[in-house]
Amino acid sequence: MAELGRLLMYEASRDWLIVPILRAGLALAEHASSILPATKTYHLGFSRDEETLLPALYLNKLPDIFPEGSRIFVVDPMLATGGTIVAAVNLLKERGIGNQQIKVICAVAALPALQKLSENFPGLPVYIGIIDPTVNDKGSV
């Protein structure tokens, strides 16, 4: 059963694309190719203004348009204020990707980020290692 489960999971997700948020997202997505060897990876890089806590895009390796039916894992280890992940999902939506085609994967998420995601993208699936109820004054968990 375990082997069948592994094979079925592979088959069900083999055509998903991966978009890690640089640089920290690389660590979380590092072994994705061992599970999804046929997947493509596109990178987004955001920095954050430490005073305003707003994200600033510095690298965008997304295609202008994704192939029809594309499904995407967005990988960011920490969702604190939610600004970066909302900006990343908006870039995907600008390229024709709908909420049903996106899954967010993170190690830790703060409640403010989850609330912002829910308000902006109702029903967007988010897979979280642990939830932190607060964000500190530096916009971190």
Side-chain angles (χ1 to χ4, degrees):
M1 289 304 284
E3 182 65 11
L4 176 60
R6 188 177 72 78
L7 291 170
L8 290 172
M9 290 300 294
Y10 165 79
E11 194 62 31
S13 60
R14 70 182 172 133
D15 58 345
W16 283 71
L17 307 173
I18 298 174
V19 177
I21 307 297
L22 299 181
R23 292 178 331 236
L26 293 175
L28 200 56
E30 179 179 1
H31 294 288
S33 63
S34 68
I35 299 167
L36 308 168
T39 195
K40 291 182 182 175
T41 302
Y42 299 98
H43 297 92
L44 287 175
F46 288 93
S47 60
R48 184 169 63 169
D49 183 304
E50 295 305 321
E51 290 182 26
T52 66
L53 304 181
L54 296 174
L57 182 67
Y58 68 85
L59 178 74
N60 181 348
K61 293 294 185 176
L62 299 177
D64 291 335
I65 189 159
F66 285 95
E68 189 172 334
S70 292
R71 296 177 297 172
I72 300 171
F73 292 119
V74 180
V75 183
D76 192 355
M78 183 181 71
L79 308 182
T81 65
T84 298
I85 194 66
V86 166
V89 173
N90 276 329
L91 286 171
L92 295 173
K93 292 183 79 64
E94 289 171 9
R95 287 160 173 77
I97 303 297
N99 286 4
Q100 305 81 11
Q101 298 166 267
I102 301 170
K103 292 183 180 178
V104 174
I105 300 172
C106 64
V108 60
L111 290 178
L114 296 175
Q115 183 175 1
K116 189 176 281 187
L117 273 173
S118 179
E119 290 168 358
N120 285 274
F121 314 108
L124 181 71
V126 182
Y127 295 81
I128 307 162
I130 190 167
I131 295 175
D132 191 325
T134 60
V135 175
N136 66 23
D137 62 344
K138 294 182 181 181
S140 188
V141 292

